Amino acid sequence: MLLFVVTQLITAQTHNIQVDFKKNGAEIQKTMYGIFFEDINYGADGGLYAELIKNRSFEFPQHFLGWNTFGKIEIKNDGPFENNPHYVRLSYSGHTDKHTGLENEGFFGIAVKKDNEYRFSVWSRKSAVENASIRIELIDEESNVITSQKLDVKSSEWKQYELMLKPNRNYPKLKLRIFLTSAGGIDLEHISLFPVDTWKGRKNGLRKDLAQALYDLKPGIFRFPGGCIVEGTDLNTRYQWKNSIGIPENRKLNENRWQYTFTHRFFPDYYQSYGLGFYEFFQLSEDIGAEPLPVLSCGLACQFQNKDEHAHASVGADLDPYIQDALDLIEFANGDVTTRYGKIRSEMGHPEPFNMKFIGIGNEQWGSLYPERLEPFMKAIKAKYPEIKIIGSSGPSPDGKDFEYGWEQMKRLKADLVDEHYYRDPNWFLSGAARYDKYDRKGPKVFAGEYACHPQNRKNNFESALCEAAFMTGFERNADVVHMCTYAPLFAHVQGWQWRPDLIWFDNMNSVRSVNYYVQQLYGHNAGTNMLNTSENKLPLTGQDGIYASSVYDKNKNEIILKIANTSGETRTINYILKGLKNAERAVVKTTLKSVDPDVENTLENPAAVVPVIEEMKIPGTSFQVSLEPKSFHVFNIKI
Ligand code: AHR
């Protein structure tokens, strides 16, 4: 009897996991682990897009939102840029002691770094016969001048002027102030301030630390520009990619639905300048080595927000411009420089095609309205560009009637991939690791386009990251059917968020990678090239005793990569048996993410609360034993 109990205990805690080393296991797509970008939580303006001035073209409906004005100043609307016609006129007050000018508050302030250069630029002309001049200052919260420069404007033609500002130390929260310093008046348009040190040193560039964080994930796919903002609250406010290309000065401002979606996180100054537009998205995809995956409106405004017909483009003449937008986008990305949109891409600085292979049509759509619209899109795209893979939606929920109907329709229409979304609690993730084991292998492939584990407190805590790590073994085990997955949302400003959890948090100075980020990174860096069957007693490990496991082979590195999560509260002993390997001692790199506190998170104050820990070890031959601490996730890279 005692022997029986002891045997039971040992079997409960020791798992014999067999990994079949077959070089020809099903192929893992290069697009497998990726990123999903949306301008939510000040992810673009005020975030990744490095512009420091808010409402730089005075196009917000309240033209001076973000600005404080003083003296004699007025808004005019016959400026040099057709899509953004507003500008300001500064005039002499009539007395030298009474000043005219304006101040910009930036996005939650303007942060600058010691000895870095900041490029101030403005379109300007004098507005009277006399020459005009202004003084540009960065001021702190007590109105002390940190650095300043003078600008003379002698021409009555619109021209762009540039100068550099260089602070002598770090300041987290400044304002930009402009004084009129001449008796002659001046017109100012598109007032901009950028760090010179952007990602790859580009003008109109991206914030370096944030772009670097994306690069460091090694993403295979890059979905943009959202989410709900693709659809718009109404059709007019959907994301229109054509408004996001060409010179930044002429990109038409759009509202951002995340401005007002949650009244408890209400941000009336949240708009989309489109300074980070489709050209920059394609360029960033190229920079980070990810396949670009643009998503366009299917002619349905957000279905959550709208029930009436005015929010839909009717199939036929109404929908045609939407379909044309999709065809033109492919031309913009891939077309020859002699084509209309290929030429625009080339003039923007990229004559080579971006080699786009995927397009998403619609975001979270459901019901018959969606397939009715998707069908003509698919016909038109496949007729002109049969090589482009089309991604359809299965709606906002990963189960239920609408989801089933969505999948059925995607199969009928022969969509190449189907986008699934799930923001669910830890239990859902832990019990769902076998979700894809029984998916139809002959139908469309899966794109888990938005997912994140939401603990009750909606923190990016260790518990949520561990559940995602465990669940993702199910992506890997089913890599023949799951071709892409992207965590969502990507970015959040600590002062300006609307939605959490999020992968990367930042303020104006610094950024922090969440524990969830490190899970994504471990998968991204260890994606492998071929699946390896991983089992215990011929069954996949989908939570037995809290253990989740999967494995891949990487033919480029000639490595076996094992991933395993112990979600239980106890140590688990694992006997790995590597079937099909020659018996020899091998070097192994073991990477661990673990924490005794499930609620711990990485913060700006403590960015390394939980980070991957790397150890080197040796294994004696084709089998080895490891002990997995409670609540831990591990990756073993075994050199062959
Ligand atoms: O990721 C945040 C939002 O969640 C996305 O915009 C939308 O697609 C989903 O509902």
Side-chain angles (χ1 to χ4, degrees):
M1 180 65 176
L2 184 65
L3 184 66
F4 176 73
V5 174
V6 172
T7 323
Q8 283 285 50
L9 264 177
I10 292 173
T11 43
Q13 290 174 355
T14 305
H15 290 266
N16 295 307
I17 300 183
Q18 180 167 305
V19 179
D20 284 331
F21 172 55
K22 284 193 215 129
K23 285 190 184 171
N24 295 328
E27 197 187 326
I28 294 164
Q29 302 298 308
K30 292 207 179 75
T31 54
M32 184 71 177
Y33 303 106
I35 49 178
F36 158 63
F37 180 88
E38 174 163 25
D39 192 2
I40 183 172
N41 306 321
Y42 288 81
D45 290 292
L48 182 60
Y49 184 50
E51 174 63 88
L52 297 169
I53 303 299
K54 181 167 68 192
N55 191 12
R56 62 187 173 185
S57 288
F58 307 97
E59 295 301 329
F60 287 16
Q62 287 79 17
H63 296 293
F64 281 124
L65 203 63
W67 296 93
N68 264 335
T69 64
F70 46 90
K72 222 174 147 192
I73 181 163
E74 60 186 312
I75 282 280
K76 312 271 289 171
N77 67 357
D78 58 347
F81 303 110
E82 194 188 341
N83 292 328
N84 294 317
H86 294 93
Y87 63 95
V88 285
R89 173 158 293 174
L90 275 55
S91 307
Y92 180 54
S93 68
H95 191 292
T96 45
D97 283 355
K98 294 186 187 176
H99 302 291
T100 290
L102 68 171
E103 288 172 3
N104 190 275
E105 65 190 24
F107 298 90
F108 313 101
I110 294 173
V112 293
K113 291 192 175 157
K114 181 177 185 297
D115 296 336
N116 279 22
E117 285 190 308
Y118 293 83
R119 183 184 294 110
F120 169 88
S121 67
V122 62
W123 284 82
S124 184
R125 66 177 179 187
K126 62 181 185 177
S127 61
V129 184
E130 302 93 333
N131 288 342
S133 59
I134 51 175
R135 192 168 72 242
I136 300 108
E137 301 177 339
L138 286 173
I139 56 169
D140 69 13
E141 285 169 294
E142 274 79 49
S143 217
N144 299 308
V145 177
I146 305 310
T147 171
S148 93
Q149 290 280 357
K150 197 172 166 258
L151 178 71
D152 294 320
V153 173
K154 296 179 185 156
S155 169
S156 45
E157 298 298 316
W158 283 107
K159 283 188 188 164
Q160 192 180 32
Y161 297 83
E162 268 185 22
L163 52 83
M164 293 294 176
L165 296 168
K166 197 170 176 182
N168 59 357
R169 69 178 177 85
N170 287 354
Y171 292 92
K173 209 174 174 59
L174 301 180
K175 283 184 190 167
L176 177 88
R177 182 159 68 189
I178 299 174
F179 277 117
L180 177 69
T181 51
S182 57
I186 198 166
D187 292 338
L188 304 175
E189 159 66 318
H190 198 88
I191 301 173
S192 168
L193 183 69
F194 261 92
V196 170
D197 190 20
T198 55
W199 168 252
K200 298 205 174 265
R202 294 196 181 110
K203 279 189 168 182
N204 194 52
L206 306 181
R207 197 173 127 171
K208 210 173 170 182
D209 60 329
L210 298 183
Q212 184 69 44
L214 301 185
Y215 178 85
D216 291 346
L217 282 167
K218 263 203 188 175
I221 189 88
F222 179 30
R223 173 181 170 211
F224 56 84
C228 289
I229 65 164
V230 166
E231 303 160 281
T233 300
D234 39 57
L235 288 174
N236 280 339
T237 55
R238 72 188 189 277
Y239 196 108
Q240 298 193 49
W241 73 267
K242 286 175 184 165
N243 290 341
S244 81
I245 57 166
I247 58 165
E249 288 86 340
N250 208 26
R251 299 185 191 175
K252 200 170 161 57
L253 185 89
N254 195 4
E255 67 164 43
N256 189 320
R257 65 159 282 160
W258 298 112
Q259 176 192 114
Y260 49 72
T261 302
F262 303 119
T263 45
H264 60 287
R265 301 291 304 167
F266 185 61
F267 295 90
D269 61 352
Y270 196 4
Y271 285 83
Q272 300 180 75
S273 72
Y274 285 161
L276 167 52
F278 263 47
Y279 177 82
E280 290 78 16
F281 282 130
F282 279 114
Q283 196 175 41
L284 180 59
S285 308
E286 193 170 78
D287 291 348
I288 60 181
E291 295 292 346
L293 164 50
V295 183
L296 298 187
S297 158
C298 64
L300 291 174
C302 176
Q303 289 178 272
F304 278 118
Q305 290 173 302
N306 296 284
K307 307 263 175 296
D308 67 87
E309 283 178 9
H310 303 293
H312 314 147
S314 325
V315 177
D318 249 13
L319 192 67
D320 289 348
Y322 293 75
I323 297 175
Q324 193 56 47
D325 270 357
L327 298 174
D328 292 343
L329 177 64
I330 301 169
E331 184 177 290
F332 177 72
N334 295 351
D336 192 80
V337 294
T338 57
T339 61
R340 177 168 174 203
Y341 286 99
K343 182 163 179 273
I344 298 178
R345 181 196 70 238
S346 171
E347 284 164 358
M348 289 183 77
H350 204 286
E352 293 306 315
F354 282 118
N355 203 10
M356 160 184 166
K357 302 182 182 77
F358 305 94
I359 191 167
I361 304 295
N363 176 43
E364 289 181 339
Q365 324 296 167
W366 64 84
S368 59
L369 290 172
Y370 178 54
E372 279 161 24
R373 282 158 184 75
L374 181 61
E375 194 162 0
F377 268 94
M378 289 188 66
K379 276 196 182 132
I381 296 172
K382 289 286 178 194
K384 192 158 184 200
Y385 300 107
E387 71 285 4
I388 296 286
K389 291 204 156 55
I390 301 176
I391 297 166
S393 164
S394 59
S397 179
D399 43 40
K401 240 173 53 208
D402 288 332
F403 174 80
E404 302 296 337
Y405 171 79
W407 256 99
E408 192 186 295
Q409 292 300 310
M410 293 311 106
K411 284 184 179 172
R412 178 180 71 79
L413 293 175
K414 297 198 171 40
D416 295 293
L417 291 106
V418 178
D419 184 10
E420 297 190 350
H421 293 182
Y422 26 92
Y423 298 104
R424 295 290 165 117
D425 65 25
N427 282 335
W428 187 91
F429 274 82
L430 290 182
S431 56
R435 177 181 178 85
Y436 297 109
D437 292 0
K438 295 206 166 62
Y439 262 50
D440 178 2
R441 266 45 199 176
K442 296 199 185 81
K445 303 302 175 195
V446 172
F447 170 34
E450 289 183 32
Y451 68 93
C453 173
H454 283 190
Q456 220 173 11
N457 57 16
R458 300 277 296 248
K459 283 204 285 186
N460 278 99
N461 63 18
F462 176 75
E463 181 193 18
S464 66
L466 182 63
C467 292
E468 286 153 10
F471 184 85
M472 289 173 78
T473 58
F475 288 155
E476 188 163 277
R477 183 175 51 257
N478 291 285
D480 56 327
V481 70
V482 180
H483 281 194
M484 305 174 177
C485 60
T486 55
Y487 179 99
L490 186 57
F491 285 122
H493 193 296
V494 289
Q495 284 178 269
W497 61 270
Q498 295 85 43
W499 178 295
R500 60 180 187 175
D502 306 286
L503 207 62
I504 299 161
W505 287 81
F506 60 91
D507 63 12
N508 288 353
M509 276 288 190
N510 298 303
S511 50
V512 53
R513 301 169 180 196
S514 63
V515 196
N516 314 72
Y517 174 99
Y518 289 113
V519 168
Q520 295 296 320
Q521 191 180 48
L522 283 171
Y523 274 92
H525 283 236
N526 296 292
T529 53
N530 297 79
M531 293 157 56
L532 295 182
N533 189 283
T534 306
S535 59
E536 182 181 39
N537 301 326
K538 300 207 161 72
L539 291 174
L541 286 115
T542 57
Q544 299 89 317
D545 269 347
I547 299 293
Y548 299 78
S550 60
S551 324
V552 294
Y553 171 61
D554 189 318
K555 65 179 173 208
N556 304 318
K557 297 188 202 150
N558 201 18
E559 273 182 7
I560 289 180
I561 307 170
L562 314 174
K563 302 191 183 76
I564 185 160
N566 174 11
T567 63
S568 79
E570 288 152 40
T571 300
R572 298 282 184 241
T573 304
I574 307 293
N575 285 323
Y576 265 116
I577 302 134
L578 307 174
K579 208 177 140 209
L581 261 194
K582 283 201 190 118
N583 199 12
E585 189 184 71
R586 290 191 166 83
V588 175
V589 176
K590 174 186 175 200
T591 310
T592 301
L593 267 180
K594 64 174 180 179
S595 168
V596 282
D597 176 4
D599 207 32
V600 71
E601 54 179 341
N602 292 340
T603 59
L604 286 167
E605 296 70 34
N606 186 11
V610 185
V611 292
V613 175
I614 296 174
E615 290 165 69
E616 290 184 4
M617 54 188 257
K618 289 240 183 306
I619 56 168
T622 55
S623 65
F624 67 103
Q625 193 170 77
V626 282
S627 189
L628 307 181
E629 301 89 333
K631 309 277 178 200
S632 58
F633 175 58
H634 309 261
V635 178
F636 295 90
N637 294 70
I638 305 173
K639 272 268 170 254
I640 305 174

